Amino acid sequence: MVGNGEVFRLNSPSTATTATATLLFTSDIHGHIFPTDYRGPGERNLGLAKLATVIRAERERDPSLLLLDNGDLIQGTPFMYHYAKYDRQGEHPAARALNFLRYDAAVPGNHEFNYGLDLFRQVAADSDCPWLSANIVGRDGEPAFGKPYLVRETEEGVRIAILGLTTHYVPNWEHPDNITGLAFEDALSSARRWVAHIRATEKPDAVVVCYHGGFERDLETGEETEPQTGENQGFAMCRELEGVDVLLTGHQHRTLAGELHGVTIAQPGSAGQAIAKVRIEFERDEAGNWSVAAKRAEIIEADDATPADPELLAMFAEDERKTQEWLDQPIGKAEGNMAIPDPFAARLADHAFTEFVNRVQMETTGAAVSCAAIFTDEARGFGERITMRDIVSNYIYPNTLKVLLLSGRDIKAGLEKSACYFMLEEGDGDGRQVRICPAYLAPKPQHFNYDMWEGIEYELDISRPEGQRVVKLNQGGKPLDPDGAYEVVMNSYRSGGGGNFDMFRGKPVVREVPTDMTEIMADYISARKTIRATCDGNWKVTY
């Protein structure tokens, strides 16, 4: 194994017999610097500007604390989208924020690659702190973004190693052009090698793993909570890795703080709604060797009493002004009702907004069949006047489009997978009620993994067992041929099997459109000036 980490010493070692180290940790900020969700007016309890106030207060208590970010920083808001697609002037906003807040290190998440490798390399180059990921390697087999870890030495002489890791599932979601020349090694295996290397060569007093990934099992029972794809390996890391004191996680947007198999764990949610704090206490023996005496993790949430940092807001004021101006640009008008007052109801039967998205995908690619999702419960569809804010609020991911060649059997399997989104439970005197399956709500909401289709006619009977719920599947009034070949357009995430749609993974790609779907929708509406709500009722859910 070639290469090592960066070593920092704050001051000359002291003769103290006890020491304390503080870690502050953000993850899955998803571009939220300002305390806004960009959907409407009003301040929200989120964003780096609010967390900056927390960071300042914690630094007053411990000026030598370590500040770390765990990835998915540069994508997720119109603010970051506008820079990536229309601005590109000066230092990247994410790097400017890292530098202003004096982060010690950052770890790339899966969404760091959404806008292409050149942009991420710009972010890394603009950042004063290193980006750590031991398991993302280049063609030479070495860590692709420089140092895989760093070692920080406190004024008492305590050595703390920070190892960065990224979920190796990235190639299953990302467009190959965005990760050219990179390989994603198994995160657990890589951690095992690097932790052993760090322990042997750096002789740290504590090892912290900063992993952009989450937990694949229930933290209390150990039961599997998701298919064992390797996307999340946090439970296995706590159980199997030797020499790890703290595991900082992300990716799942959970809020966690505790201990698992003797390893202190933390995960601070998403969008800058909270920050994790870990304190490690050390004792020194008569021989002068330090050992961990105690560890504790906690979550500090941003709330109404947390003011946004005025200096950080001022730094990005012009960027925000340009973003808001762009968001309020009128794109066109809608005739008819395309609003989504109830996202759950819009997933139970064909809806004009979902049909619109599917129609755009079909007309753009020429495919006869399409599937799309209502990504979040915050999606509200279109009103009469459509702006860029409406588009990016509903279509929040930078997906492109791919047309796959699927069999009728593949399509049915995809529908059966989507049908697992629903479950039935006994109601209060009104018979059974359809509900969302808990697996789609925890550990994080996964409404984006329920697809609705156009170009076929189908019916899902939720009263039937999973895997047997597609009770009707036609095209043009005739049953779909299980062995027939059909061109189906879907977003780039789903085409790679994202969301455990394994039936789509590796299928022939007939053609693809590399343009961001939000741009496609904006251009589609701008060219027509007025779009009309249609809903052919080609599918429904029964129970």
Side-chain angles (χ1 to χ4, degrees):
M1 182 175 294
V2 179
N4 56 18
E6 298 185 27
V7 180
F8 300 90
R9 174 172 291 172
L10 297 180
N11 292 296
S12 58
S14 71
T15 58
T17 58
T18 62
T20 302
T22 303
L23 308 176
L24 287 185
F25 171 70
T26 55
S27 189
D28 298 272
I29 296 295
H30 282 289
H32 288 85
I33 293 179
F34 283 73
T36 175
D37 60 10
Y38 291 94
R39 294 184 174 91
E43 184 173 291
R44 304 288 188 267
N45 290 322
L46 51 79
L48 272 177
K50 284 214 166 197
L51 295 187
T53 300
V54 178
I55 293 167
R56 283 185 187 274
E58 291 295 329
R59 273 213 175 100
E60 290 180 0
R61 298 184 185 94
D62 183 358
S64 63
L65 64 79
L66 273 165
L67 180 59
L68 309 169
D69 184 76
N70 193 39
D72 281 4
L73 174 62
I74 75 172
Q75 176 277 335
T77 57
F79 182 91
M80 291 297 183
Y81 180 89
H82 181 264
Y83 177 88
K85 295 294 184 178
Y86 299 102
D87 196 344
R88 298 265 183 137
Q89 299 298 311
E91 289 184 344
H92 192 284
R96 289 162 60 195
L98 291 175
N99 297 343
F100 173 79
L101 293 171
R102 306 200 323 266
Y103 272 78
D104 293 278
V107 173
N110 52 292
H111 284 287
E112 257 63 67
F113 304 99
N114 286 170
Y115 297 124
L117 195 51
D118 286 346
L119 185 66
F120 176 54
R121 290 195 185 280
Q122 176 196 335
V123 176
D126 289 343
S127 302
D128 293 339
C129 66
W131 285 76
L132 312 175
S133 189
N135 68 309
I136 303 179
V137 300
R139 289 189 173 92
D140 60 359
E142 294 300 310
F145 304 108
K147 303 296 184 180
Y149 66 90
L150 65 82
V151 178
R152 181 71 168 267
E153 188 169 311
T154 72
E155 62 182 7
E156 297 88 1
V158 174
R159 292 170 61 82
I160 302 170
I162 312 290
L163 174 67
L165 296 165
T166 305
T167 174
H168 60 258
Y169 213 62
V170 173
N172 291 280
W173 306 308
E174 195 55 70
H175 193 287
D177 289 348
N178 290 345
I179 52 176
T180 300
L182 300 181
F184 294 77
E185 297 179 342
D186 182 274
L188 177 60
S189 299
S190 182
R192 186 176 289 112
R193 295 196 311 274
W194 278 103
V195 169
H197 171 80
I198 292 168
R199 283 289 185 185
T201 61
E202 302 289 357
K203 308 297 183 184
D205 302 300
V207 171
V208 177
V209 173
C210 195
Y211 168 50
H212 188 84
F215 296 95
E216 70 279 27
R217 294 178 179 270
D218 184 277
L219 298 184
E220 295 184 359
T221 67
E223 294 181 2
E224 292 185 2
T225 55
E226 61 182 50
Q228 297 302 294
T229 60
E231 176 181 347
N232 298 296
Q233 298 174 297
F235 194 94
M237 287 181 182
C238 290
R239 183 179 58 188
E240 299 178 21
L241 294 180
E242 295 183 5
V244 174
D245 299 287
V246 178
L247 177 66
L248 304 175
T249 62
H251 187 54
Q252 292 175 315
H253 299 185
R254 303 170 71 179
T255 304
L256 301 169
E259 188 167 296
L260 180 64
H261 298 296
V263 179
T264 299
I265 62 170
Q267 188 174 145
S270 65
Q273 295 171 317
I275 192 168
K277 177 182 178 181
V278 177
R279 284 176 61 84
I280 310 174
E281 297 177 11
F282 298 88
E283 293 179 346
R284 182 152 54 183
D285 61 22
E286 294 180 356
N289 299 314
W290 290 102
S291 62
V292 175
K295 301 174 293 178
R296 182 175 181 271
E298 63 178 302
I299 299 296
I300 305 173
E301 295 184 345
D303 56 26
D304 292 340
T306 311
D309 184 275
E311 191 174 349
L312 187 62
L313 294 179
M315 177 187 296
F316 292 105
E318 179 60 17
D319 305 79
E320 178 71 357
R321 185 197 64 78
K322 290 190 292 185
T323 300
Q324 294 287 354
E325 185 178 82
W326 169 71
L327 284 171
D328 288 331
Q329 291 177 6
I331 302 298
K333 296 181 179 180
E335 285 186 357
N337 186 8
M338 298 184 74
I340 306 176
D342 183 350
F344 181 70
R347 297 185 182 105
L348 282 172
D350 198 13
H351 188 277
F353 179 79
T354 315
E355 182 161 310
F356 166 74
V357 175
N358 274 316
R359 292 291 182 189
V360 170
Q361 293 186 169
M362 294 162 74
E363 290 186 32
T364 300
T365 62
V369 182
S370 174
C371 63
I374 298 174
F375 291 136
T376 72
D377 273 353
E378 286 70 45
R380 290 295 175 260
F382 292 153
E384 180 180 355
R385 179 178 177 270
I386 304 172
T387 66
M388 278 303 303
R389 189 183 306 276
D390 297 314
I391 293 175
V392 299
S393 294
N394 285 284
Y395 207 103
I396 62 174
Y397 298 114
N399 291 323
T400 57
L401 297 178
K402 287 190 178 183
V403 178
L404 303 186
L405 190 64
L406 301 179
S407 68
R409 189 174 289 103
D410 295 328
I411 293 173
K412 183 177 181 181
L415 288 168
E416 290 286 4
K417 176 63 180 175
S418 282
C420 295
Y421 178 80
F422 298 109
M423 63 175 289
L424 287 178
E425 64 179 27
E426 297 299 325
D428 298 328
D430 297 323
R432 293 184 296 176
Q433 301 292 320
V434 63
R435 297 283 188 265
I436 300 172
C437 179
Y440 287 81
L441 298 174
K444 71 175 181 180
Q446 296 183 45
H447 305 297
F448 53 83
N449 281 331
Y450 169 70
D451 291 331
M452 293 154 280
W453 293 62
E454 198 64 36
I456 55 175
E457 306 95 47
Y458 65 95
E459 182 178 331
L460 307 178
D461 184 352
I462 305 305
S463 67
R464 296 170 64 88
E466 291 186 1
Q468 303 175 33
R469 293 179 168 181
V470 179
V471 295
K472 173 185 174 182
L473 180 53
N474 296 340
Q475 187 178 54
K478 298 180 180 180
L480 216 63
D481 181 0
D483 298 314
Y486 302 88
E487 292 188 359
V488 180
V489 58
M490 60 188 68
N491 67 56
S492 50
Y493 171 77
R494 186 70 76 238
S495 70
N500 300 312
F501 281 74
D502 297 330
M503 70 293 298
F504 300 152
R505 186 175 294 117
K507 292 304 165 70
V509 178
V510 180
R511 54 190 169 276
E512 55 185 298
V513 178
T515 307
D516 191 296
M517 185 58 180
T518 53
E519 293 184 38
I520 292 173
M521 292 173 65
D523 290 345
Y524 184 96
I525 296 169
S526 296
R528 290 158 178 78
K529 306 300 182 186
T530 299
I531 58 173
R532 292 168 179 80
T534 62
C535 188
D536 59 10
N538 66 299
W539 65 271
K540 63 180 178 179
V541 174
T542 61
Y543 53 95

